[in-house]
């Protein structure tokens, strides 16, 4: 069996806030420069909203924002699901919210707040009292008012994978994996629940007929999967990392995982550590792609998208996928022998022609870092605590294809997002405490 490893996960729990009321904003306009830090920017209907250190704000213009609710908390993450908002972060001064606040849900635009606990404080319907924090992924299926949100998150106490659904009215809860009676050895062809640490990384996709989640087994260094169809129990599978036959690998896989469904095919992108030296330093790696057009565990097709060469030896650090009209686009970070263990280049490929891998080094802009975001043309990445954009259509220009989005160094990597407002696609990010709206 592969060497067992443990990973410490910082505690927390998942909670939600239900919002009441109808007005889109209640605060008077204020200078956007008064916000100490903007963590997240999202399109919400025809509005742009900001998750900030001081609370939830509506973007009015390049100089003005408007507070959307009286509860001021540090919104570290922000997501939109139809007319509902999801957020996470930390309580502000005088707030009665727990630390950390966990996952929050809003059903209006933030005029007033009513706190309920989704999970982490016990209760009925499969809720737990354990610390809930760490890797989280969300996917949606259905349409209109019949949409269902699927949330996969970490039980930091037991190192399990938790699962919640929300249909707009009610939540369900359960543990997907990690709570088995023993480690399901990667050599065992019969796949059942495992007791491995499955808290490190996960990614999900949802279709009309099934929900699929893919996650790293930290105890054995393999990539696992679980599939659920309507009114059926979870079916478990080992996706990769167990053998060298059938296109698979014995690399240590899945430190970073992304998944996407294009309406026909499921794509899973993940990194792999192929070899290490006696000092436990990575000496070679790979980026892997697994695809299938059904949910059968035997239907996977595998491809090593990128592998160690003289140009790059270590891969991962972060990966990203984008579904476009031209196909699925993948991008990832890599380190050369000279820069290892830090990355020094951005690499990318269209999966329909994956033999063509493009790359640009970032020496003029410093060390590239997470978080990667792409729309299939422009790749956004953090560069020496700043935000950079790489225009892949200008790759032949070398370093001139990269430009600084933010020239001021921050204390932490900046998150950005591609959004569509009034049918126009923008990249929303923060520059020097102000909102930048960039057209690709």
């Amino acid at each position: 069996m592969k060497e067992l490893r443990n990973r410490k996960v910082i505690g927390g729990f998942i909670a939600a806030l239900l919002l009441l009321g109808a007005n889109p904003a209640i605060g008077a306009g204020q200078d956007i420069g008064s916000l100490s830090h903007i963590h997240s920017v999202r399109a919400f209907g025809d509005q742009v909203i900001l998750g900030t250190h001081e609370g939830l704000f509506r973007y009015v213009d390049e100089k003005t924002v408007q507070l959307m609710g009286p509860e001021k908390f540090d919104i570290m993450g922000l997501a939109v699901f139809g007319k509902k908002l999801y957020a996470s972060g930390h309580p502000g001064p005088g707030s009665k919210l727990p630390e950390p606040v966990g996952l929050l849900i809003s059903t209006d635009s933030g005029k007033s707040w009513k706190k309920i606990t989704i999970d982490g404080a016990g209760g009925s319907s499969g809720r737990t009292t354990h610390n809930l924090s760490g890797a989280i992924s969300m996917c949606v299926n259905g349409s209109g008012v019949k949409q269902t949100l699927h949330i996969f998150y970490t039980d930091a106490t037991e190192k399990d994978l938790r699962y919640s659904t929300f249909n707009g009215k009610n939540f369900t809860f359960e543990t997907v994996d990690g709570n088995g009676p023993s480690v399901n050895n990667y050599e065992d062809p019969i796949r059942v629940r495992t007791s491995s640490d499955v808290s490190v990384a996960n990614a999900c996709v949802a279709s009309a007929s099934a929900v699929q989640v893919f996650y790293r087994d930290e105890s054995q260094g393999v990539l696992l999967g679980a599939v659920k169809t309507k009114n059926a129990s979870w079916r478990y599978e080992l996706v990769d990392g167990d053998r060298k036959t059938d296109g698979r690998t014995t690399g240590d896989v899945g430190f970073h995982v992304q998944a996407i469904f294009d309406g026909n095919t499921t794509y899973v992108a993940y990194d792999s550590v192929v070899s290490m030296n006696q000092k436990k330093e990575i000496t070679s790696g790979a980026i892997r792609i697994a695809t299938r057009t059904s949910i059968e565990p035997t239907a996977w097709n595998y491809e090593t998208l990128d592998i160690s060469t003289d140009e790059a030896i270590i891969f991962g650090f972060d990966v990203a996928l984008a579904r476009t009209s031209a196909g699925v686009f993948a991008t990832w970070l890599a380190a050369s022998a000279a820069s290892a263990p830090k990355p020094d280049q951005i690499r990318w490929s269209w999966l329909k022609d994956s033999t063509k891998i493009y790359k640009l080094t970032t020496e003029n802009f410093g060390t590239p870092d997470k978080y990667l975001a792409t729309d299939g043309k422009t790749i956004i990445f953090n560069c020496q605590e700043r935000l950079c954009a790489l225009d892949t259509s200008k790759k032949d220009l070398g370093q001139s294809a990269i430009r600084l989005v933010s020239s001021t160094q921050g204390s932490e990597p900046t998150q950005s997002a591609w959004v569509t407002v009034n049918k126009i696609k923008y990249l929303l990010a923060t520059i020097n405490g102000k909102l930048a709206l960039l057209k690709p």
Side-chain angles (χ1 to χ4, degrees), residues 183-429:
V183 172
N184 189 188
N185 192 301
Y186 72 91
E187 296 177 323
D188 191 341
I190 300 175
R191 304 312 303 171
V192 295
R193 287 179 187 258
T194 183
S195 63
S196 292
D197 176 353
V198 292
S199 66
V200 172
N202 64 71
C204 68
V205 296
S207 64
S209 60
V211 177
Q212 305 176 68
V213 61
F214 310 101
Y215 47 101
R216 173 174 167 79
D217 180 331
E218 175 75 356
S219 301
Q220 300 186 88
V222 296
L223 184 64
L224 303 179
V227 178
K228 188 178 183 64
T229 56
K230 189 175 182 180
N231 301 322
S233 301
W234 288 101
R235 191 199 69 217
Y236 299 95
E237 59 183 317
L238 200 161
V239 178
D240 203 1
D242 59 327
R243 62 182 187 267
K244 291 185 177 180
T245 58
D246 303 317
R248 301 195 185 210
T249 181
T250 54
D252 194 350
V253 297
F255 292 94
H256 302 86
V257 184
Q258 289 289 317
I260 201 168
F261 180 67
D262 70 356
N264 180 63
T265 302
T266 297
Y267 298 82
V268 185
Y270 48 98
D271 49 0
S272 172
V273 173
V274 177
S275 63
M276 303 178 74
N277 60 25
Q278 292 182 343
K279 296 180 180 180
K280 300 296 183 181
E281 297 170 332
I282 300 172
T283 55
S284 65
I287 291 293
R288 302 270 295 166
I289 299 290
T291 61
R292 67 180 175 191
T293 56
S294 71
I295 58 173
E296 294 302 316
T298 58
W300 287 110
N301 292 301
Y302 299 93
E303 179 181 4
T304 298
L305 186 59
D306 206 358
I307 197 166
S308 296
T309 63
D310 291 339
E311 291 183 343
I313 61 170
I314 304 172
F315 306 95
F317 307 101
D318 200 12
V319 294
L321 294 173
R323 174 186 173 185
T324 76
S325 59
V328 176
F329 180 90
T331 181
W332 59 98
L333 302 177
S336 65
S339 72
K342 294 182 178 181
D344 66 347
Q345 56 192 273
I346 312 294
R347 297 169 76 88
W348 68 93
S349 179
W350 289 97
L351 298 188
K352 65 181 180 182
D353 191 10
S354 58
T355 58
K356 295 181 180 179
I357 294 177
Y358 306 94
K359 66 106 176 179
L360 272 180
T361 55
T362 60
E363 60 267 19
N364 290 355
F365 298 88
T367 301
D369 197 3
K370 64 178 184 180
Y371 300 91
L372 286 175
T374 183
D375 66 344
K377 177 178 181 290
T378 302
I379 301 169
I380 304 299
F381 60 99
N382 279 267
C383 51
Q384 213 70 36
E385 289 77 48
R386 302 164 301 180
L387 198 63
C388 286
L390 189 164
D391 186 341
T392 60
S393 68
K394 299 179 179 179
K395 62 184 183 300
D396 293 339
L397 299 178
Q399 296 288 291
S400 296
I402 303 174
R403 69 183 187 277
L404 279 175
V405 177
S406 170
S407 59
T408 301
Q409 290 184 317
S411 59
E412 59 185 33
T414 299
Q415 294 191 48
S416 57
W418 294 98
V419 297
T420 301
V421 181
N422 295 329
K423 298 183 180 181
I424 300 175
K425 182 182 289 185
Y426 298 94
L427 174 79
L428 292 171

Side-chain angles (χ1 to χ4, degrees), residues 109-123:
S109 299
K111 179 182 178 181
S112 59
W113 302 75
K114 178 181 178 183
K115 177 179 177 291
I116 64 170
T117 299
I118 289 181
D119 201 3

